[in-house]
Amino acid sequence: MIITVDGPSGSGKGTLCQLLAAKLGYHLLDSGALYRLTALAITRAGVSLGDESAVAAVARELAVVFNVSAQEQSVILQGADVSAEIRREEVGMLASQVAAMPLVRAALLQRQRAFVESPGLVADGRDMGTVVFPEAEVKVFLTASSEERAKRRFLQLQERQVQGKGESPNMAVILADIEDRDARDRSRAASPLVPATDALQIDSSTMPIDAVLAEVLVQVSQRLASLESGLT
Ligand code: DC
């Protein structure tokens, strides 16, 4: 069973995928982390964004380990924990540029498909249902207005600031960054952010995450029941 969840950043995809994977006992693929890791690795290696082949080579050779436990997911790159570092705004912006490169997307394709494992996979990204797992049994496209997504990001950053882990966030800058990144993700030629034709589309702007989870779980149960009864 493969469940794909695609959508823009801040739509609640990450939270939904974690809840789905925990509830169903499935594995989790955070494909955005692979693009973020590539962005971090090229910065460290001093590879220029202008050299697409070299960026793709870095993506192909990423020495990464995902450690998943019930409490948290940590990401280890070349032996060091980079979980917090890959979530930084600059890494996200660079990841969006790296993700527009067809050679990088091709380099990461098999690595993403290798995450499929019994009893099932929840795959979080932008092109999970369209390109990476077009055969997925359940596809979700989760959206929310850019204002609502900026508000969620602002609250997250504010919480981090209170814990002494970051600078004071600026709502206007966050909204502009979100709109910039969305435009790039939606308009790129290689695997743009678009809903699969057979995706269940959900707008989470005014929906609590539990309600989104419940709606997707209904879809999953119906799909499992039809697979068990031999229908497709
Ligand atoms: O979901 P995220 O914010 O961690 O993703 C980081 C960037 O990578 C974002 O700009 C979109 C891009 N991305 C992508 O192009 N395809 C994916 N499957 C996942 C992420």
Side-chain angles (χ1 to χ4, degrees), residues 117-136:
E117 207 180 323
S118 181
L121 177 71
V122 181
D124 170 347
R126 302 294 190 290
D127 61 342
M128 299 293 99
T130 49
V131 176
V132 183
F133 303 113
E135 75 287 12

Side-chain angles (χ1 to χ4, degrees), residues 4-227:
T4 60
V5 182
D6 291 306
S9 36
S11 57
K13 274 178 310 130
T15 310
L16 174 65
C17 287
Q18 279 171 13
L19 292 171
L20 276 171
K23 180 93 188 164
L24 299 165
Y26 285 7
H27 299 270
L28 180 65
L29 163 62
D30 172 5
S31 62
L34 293 172
Y35 292 95
R36 287 172 180 270
L37 284 160
T38 304
L40 182 64
I42 63 163
T43 310
R44 288 183 173 178
V47 171
S48 146
L49 261 188
D51 189 348
E52 184 172 337
S53 305
V55 179
V58 169
R60 203 172 304 115
E61 284 150 27
L62 282 177
V64 59
V65 178
F66 289 92
N67 285 335
V68 186
S69 74
Q71 288 75 36
E72 57 177 6
Q73 174 192 295
S74 62
V75 185
I76 312 295
L77 180 65
Q78 287 173 328
D81 189 334
V82 293
S83 319
E85 207 169 344
I86 60 166
R87 296 291 146 212
R88 287 169 47 181
E89 289 301 298
E90 332 66 277
V91 177
M93 284 311 272
L94 190 58
S96 171
Q97 289 168 273
V98 156
M101 298 177 175
L103 292 181
V104 172
R105 304 201 74 88
L108 292 176
L109 197 57
Q110 285 315 320
R111 194 187 275 265
Q112 294 174 84
R113 290 187 176 151
F115 274 77
V116 175
E117 207 180 323
S118 181
L121 177 71
V122 181
D124 170 347
R126 302 294 190 290
D127 61 342
M128 299 293 99
T130 49
V131 176
V132 183
F133 303 113
E135 75 287 12
E137 283 80 8
V138 174
K139 298 181 185 178
V140 177
F141 192 82
L142 192 62
T143 55
S145 68
S146 45
E147 289 77 15
E148 175 60 26
R149 290 185 286 124
K151 198 173 93 193
R152 291 174 188 171
R153 184 72 187 140
F154 178 85
L155 292 174
Q156 252 178 15
L157 292 174
Q158 206 175 40
E159 199 179 298
R160 269 197 221 162
Q161 192 213 350
V162 171
Q163 296 166 354
K165 290 190 200 152
E167 287 167 18
S168 147
N170 177 316
M171 186 66 178
V173 171
I174 295 174
L175 183 59
D177 279 357
I178 281 188
E179 289 179 341
D180 241 36
R181 203 180 308 181
D182 278 5
R184 191 164 33 239
D185 292 345
R186 285 181 208 274
S187 64
R188 67 180 177 224
S191 308
L193 171 64
V194 284
T197 48
D198 49 349
L200 168 70
Q201 296 199 38
I202 304 177
D203 184 339
S204 75
S205 301
T206 56
M207 255 173 116
I209 196 69
D210 287 352
V212 177
L213 176 67
E215 194 173 330
V216 177
L217 284 172
V218 168
Q219 189 86 0
V220 172
S221 317
Q222 286 173 352
R223 199 70 182 97
L224 282 172
S226 74
L227 288 172

